[in-house]
Amino acid sequence: MNTIEQFADTVIKESYDLKASDIHIVPRHHDAMIQMRIDRDLVTKHIITRAFSEKLISHFKFLASMDIGEKRKPQNGALEIQAEYAHLHLRLSTLPTMNNESLVIRIHFQTMVQPLSQLALFPSSAKALLSFLHHSHGLIIFTGPTGSGKTTTMYSLLHAAQHELNRRIVTLEDPVEKRSDGMLQIQINERAGITYAAGLKAVLRHDPDIILVGEIRDEETAKVAVRASLTGHLVLTTLHTNDAKGAVLRLLDFHITHAEIEQSLLAVAAQRLVEIKCPFCQGKCSSLCKKMRKVRRLSVYELLYGGDLKQVILEARGKKGVYSYATLKQVMNKGYALGYIEEEDVQR
Ligand SMILES: [Zn+2]
């Protein structure tokens, strides 16, 4: 193994130990930086020479079957690493900059699926989410920005449904983020004609109990998903809205009728990840702290279901709705009041 290979392995291992989500190799005028995104912070870990950084980037590009000779166009690639400490899935993208090429590596750990009780800040939300799995059909929608943990939550639920309730599960995703044995996982491939809508129609003929639809992006997918949930399937999916109420309005935008929403929609969960206060220090954590702390972030949920959901749908019809579910803001305030999270996280 040469120096470049060794160094590349070290950087990957280091990012794993620190639970970094991305590695950035950023060329500068005289040298290059290796930075890691750890939680929200971008931390500079190494300064290397430009020549070394060019070799390092070429090495990663080679591993990811990218065109090493091409440095003037942006490129994407993917790479699986089966290290003894973990199974990693890396997505690489290069960008030509004023100072040569830069590379960003996004890291997906193929970690064990965590039970929901270990993901949620409040056990009551985990309990409520798990209870939805006992329905034989209906639509469960997760909302929240990218990186708010929706996929992790859905996989935790699917895992419980598979192992505790023995359900047959099919997923449609773009991309498939977590490999899971025993589930049929289908990658969306628009060029090959596997769109969400087309894929979902095909999946329905495969007799699933539970279907995960990565995202509802268009009216057609919304309609097929609602139809699936009305015909004996439990459908888990995501929508891009800020809060739980927004999901009802978004379904209306996709021309799903009030009646269809009433019959199909079981629950909406708006989710955020919050940083948990460090038990070892006050304030800014050192790298050592970050290595020591197993749990750094947990999920909080705004859960809209049952009577409250009926009232929100009523309100969407232009009538007066009366509901009392805890909003994300209220749930986070509770976390702050109990001393789990920082005030700045509540404001965010
Ligand atoms: Zn700390």
Side-chain angles (χ1 to χ4, degrees), residues 195-210:
T195 59
Y196 272 117
L200 190 47
K201 282 178 198 161
V203 162
L204 287 175
R205 293 189 285 269
H206 238 71
D207 188 32
D209 296 315
I210 301 181

Side-chain angles (χ1 to χ4, degrees), residues 29-92:
H29 199 62
H30 297 292
D31 55 20
M33 293 186 292
I34 298 186
Q35 300 180 302
M36 291 180 192
R37 171 82 59 194
I38 302 167
D39 299 333
R40 274 190 293 263
D41 303 325
L42 199 55
V43 184
T44 303
K45 299 301 293 182
H46 304 273
I47 304 284
I48 52 178
T49 65
R50 286 237 346 215
F52 195 75
S53 111
E54 278 176 38
K55 282 186 195 153
L56 188 63
I57 290 178
S58 291
H59 174 66
F60 278 122
K61 283 166 76 176
F62 171 75
L63 292 178
S65 310
M66 294 155 82
D67 183 353
I68 298 174
E70 179 58 79
K71 294 185 179 178
R72 285 168 306 178
K73 286 184 191 155
Q75 289 188 61
N76 296 309
L79 172 62
E80 299 278 336
I81 292 187
Q82 195 84 56
E84 75 265 20
Y85 52 91
H87 179 194
L88 311 177
H89 179 71
L90 310 181
R91 297 190 145 245
L92 292 78

Side-chain angles (χ1 to χ4, degrees), residues 157-332:
L157 285 172
L158 292 182
H159 196 76
Q162 184 186 15
H163 293 278
E164 286 155 36
L165 307 171
N166 209 14
R167 297 281 161 79
R168 180 171 159 76
I169 297 162
V170 181
T171 79
L172 277 166
E173 294 167 275
D174 188 19
V176 175
E177 282 179 36
K178 296 177 194 289
R179 307 285 165 89
S180 194
D181 264 348
M183 297 179 197
L184 291 179
Q185 296 179 291
I186 297 156
Q187 166 77 50
I188 297 301
N189 185 344
E190 311 227 331
R191 261 185 283 173
I194 307 174
T195 59
Y196 272 117
L200 190 47
K201 282 178 198 161
V203 162
L204 287 175
R205 293 189 285 269
H206 238 71
D207 188 32
D209 296 315
I210 301 181
I211 308 165
L212 182 149
V213 180
E215 188 188 345
I216 293 183
R217 293 180 192 154
D218 54 51
E219 184 175 329
E220 195 188 359
T221 311
K223 292 205 155 141
V224 188
V226 167
R227 203 183 315 142
S229 70
L230 288 172
T231 52
H233 309 92
L234 199 59
V235 179
L236 274 60
T237 190
T238 69
L239 274 175
H240 269 281
T241 65
N242 277 327
D243 55 13
K245 247 166 108 172
V248 174
L249 302 174
R250 185 57 54 85
L251 288 176
L252 290 168
D253 286 344
F254 286 140
H255 299 107
I256 307 296
T257 66
H258 287 95
E260 284 170 327
I261 296 175
E262 233 159 41
Q263 287 161 27
S264 63
L265 192 57
L266 271 180
V268 186
Q271 177 173 2
R272 295 290 187 282
L273 282 174
V274 289
E275 275 188 49
I276 303 304
K277 274 193 191 171
C278 179
F280 306 115
C281 73
Q282 303 293 322
K284 208 84 189 133
C285 276
S286 64
S287 292
L288 180 68
C289 255
K290 296 204 169 195
K291 247 184 211 177
M292 300 270 295
R293 293 174 60 193
K294 287 232 160 56
V295 178
R296 298 208 300 259
R297 298 196 291 175
L298 289 173
S299 300
V300 287
Y301 300 93
E302 171 179 300
L303 295 177
L304 177 58
Y305 61 101
D308 286 328
L309 177 58
K310 280 204 176 75
Q311 291 292 314
V312 165
I313 297 171
L314 199 68
E315 191 180 73
R317 279 183 190 271
K319 305 207 175 99
K320 190 174 160 44
V322 184
Y323 39 80
S324 62
Y325 66 98
T327 61
L328 270 174
K329 181 98 190 159
Q330 288 164 340
V331 175
M332 283 197 220

